[in-house]
Amino acid sequence: MSNLIEKIKCLIIGSGPAGYTAAIYAARANMNPVLYQGMQPGGQLTTTNEVENFPGYVDGVTGPEMMIQLQEQAKRFGADIRDGWATKVDFSGDIHKVWINDTIELHCETVIISTGASAKYLGLPSEQHYLQMGGGVSACAVCDGFFYRNQEVVIVGAGDSACEEAHYLSKLCKKVTMLVRSEKFRASKIMEDRVRKTENIEILMNHDTVEVIGDEQVVSAIRAKNKTTGEIFDIPATGFFVAIGHKPNTDIFKDYLTLDETGYIINTPGTSNTNIAGVFVAGDAADHVYRQAITAAGTGCMAALDAERYLAGKE
């Protein structure tokens, strides 16, 4: 560890809509925010080709372009945007200590956590290829379902989120095939009943995804395997949605912050406050319900305002 200690009024850990919005508000409030972008600068939206549901972008915008614009807006007001990621924290005292890349020690009056959550994927090479190409693989039906209107899609998952997304897609798509990897749903009975009663949702229990098929640019089918019979067959589809959960990027905070059973940071309802005074949370690190760019940006605003009020109360 370096012996050099930097004192910071407002540290923002992580970028994306939550982090950059927090930086904009904190900078405008003369809090001199320092933002470390993390291992994926811009967050999950940098893997999204088209964003058409964020207010103000009449013709849509690519995820990377939107993140660059948010970053530049934060810089315009004086936010200090840096490369690097937090590797260790100590929130046991009045001064919040954070280490960056295991070498830089920061002593912070306030900390805003916007480290987000990472979607879980099956890990198939073909899945990752089309995910990177933006050619038909997604982990967010609400974000991308619109692009598959009147088309046939496949979704894999067995929980409440998978059922909810399958039902959402059924309102847009001609047909939704739901692959459930086990012999029963993990979803609540009400959610399971909802998808079973939807006419254009076909449910294939005890089926695995073998491969995502396409022309190297866009998806055309999903190769599936019946685990009972061993039969392998292709399901025509232009979209493949993965709904097997998200993992919040919160491991380094678990010794100090209150997390739920899946690792999301628990905040005081109606605020961005965590259980540690002066430490706030924004975006998908705490949100396992909505997970949208616009809601993340809103909580980034909340976190900056809460941090400003916290500092004002100490003066």
Side-chain angles (χ1 to χ4, degrees):
M1 298 288 183
S2 169
N3 291 324
L4 181 62
I5 295 174
E6 183 179 1
K7 295 183 178 180
I8 292 177
K9 193 171 187 178
C10 177
L11 174 69
I12 301 169
I13 305 175
S15 44
Y20 288 138
T21 302
I24 291 168
Y25 274 80
R28 286 170 56 86
N30 295 322
M31 294 166 65
N32 304 316
V34 173
L35 182 150
Y36 277 93
Q37 294 179 303
M39 297 183 72
Q40 187 179 17
Q44 288 190 84
L45 270 186
T46 57
T47 66
T48 302
N49 272 15
E50 294 292 335
V51 179
E52 294 194 330
N53 55 4
F54 197 96
Y57 291 96
V58 178
D59 299 316
V61 63
T62 69
E65 182 183 3
M66 182 182 174
M67 290 305 97
I68 290 171
Q69 291 176 359
L70 283 177
Q71 177 180 313
E72 291 305 311
Q73 188 176 359
K75 284 182 176 180
R76 181 163 75 88
F77 294 116
D80 185 351
I81 311 294
R82 303 179 182 179
D83 294 328
W85 57 91
T87 50
K88 177 185 174 183
V89 301
D90 181 354
F91 296 155
S92 60
D94 292 336
I95 297 297
H96 309 307
K97 300 177 182 179
V98 178
W99 285 264
I100 303 297
N101 300 348
D102 289 324
T103 58
I104 303 169
E105 183 175 349
L106 310 177
H107 286 190
C108 315
E109 294 182 57
T110 60
V111 176
I112 295 173
I113 297 167
S114 57
T115 49
S118 300
K120 296 178 182 177
Y121 290 95
L122 299 176
L124 300 171
S126 55
E127 169 201 57
Q128 294 301 304
H129 169 77
Y130 288 104
L131 176 65
Q132 296 301 319
M133 293 297 295
V137 173
S138 171
C140 181
V142 175
C143 308
D144 300 325
F146 177 84
F147 301 112
Y148 301 92
R149 291 179 69 90
N150 302 316
Q151 300 175 46
E152 297 186 7
V153 299
V154 171
I155 182 168
V156 58
D160 278 349
S161 293
C163 290
E164 186 175 341
E165 297 214 332
H167 189 255
Y168 177 86
L169 290 168
S170 73
K171 299 176 183 178
L172 301 171
C173 303
K174 183 164 58 176
K175 180 181 178 182
V176 179
T177 301
M178 193 171 188
L179 297 179
V180 179
R181 294 180 289 177
S182 63
E183 295 179 348
K184 60 181 180 179
F185 279 93
R186 290 185 291 102
S188 59
K189 189 67 168 62
I190 189 171
M191 292 303 296
E192 179 181 348
D193 288 344
R194 184 176 297 173
V195 294
R196 288 193 181 278
K197 292 176 181 178
T198 305
E199 290 186 0
N200 63 334
I201 296 179
E202 180 181 3
I203 302 169
L204 300 179
M205 306 298 293
N206 210 29
H207 279 68
D208 275 339
T209 304
V210 176
E211 189 177 357
V212 180
I213 308 296
D215 63 0
E216 299 301 318
Q217 298 294 319
V218 295
V219 172
S220 60
I222 304 302
R223 185 159 293 162
K225 179 181 180 181
N226 185 320
K227 295 166 68 176
T228 303
T229 66
E231 178 191 6
I232 295 177
F233 58 98
D234 292 351
I235 305 169
T238 53
F240 180 59
F241 290 84
V242 185
I244 58 175
H246 287 72
K247 184 184 186 306
N249 305 315
T250 58
D251 286 351
I252 65 169
F253 308 114
K254 63 184 178 182
D255 291 338
Y256 302 97
L257 300 184
T258 303
L259 311 179
D260 70 10
E261 65 277 5
T262 52
Y264 287 94
I265 296 172
I266 296 176
N267 57 292
T268 303
T271 77
S272 65
N273 299 341
T274 69
N275 60 294
I276 300 291
V279 178
F280 309 90
V281 62
D284 289 7
D287 177 15
H288 58 85
V289 178
Y290 299 103
R291 294 196 297 262
Q292 299 298 302
I294 187 66
T295 51
T299 56
C301 164
M302 291 169 61
L305 294 176
D306 286 342
E308 180 186 6
R309 289 165 184 159
Y310 171 79
L311 289 172
K314 294 183 67 178
E315 292 177 356

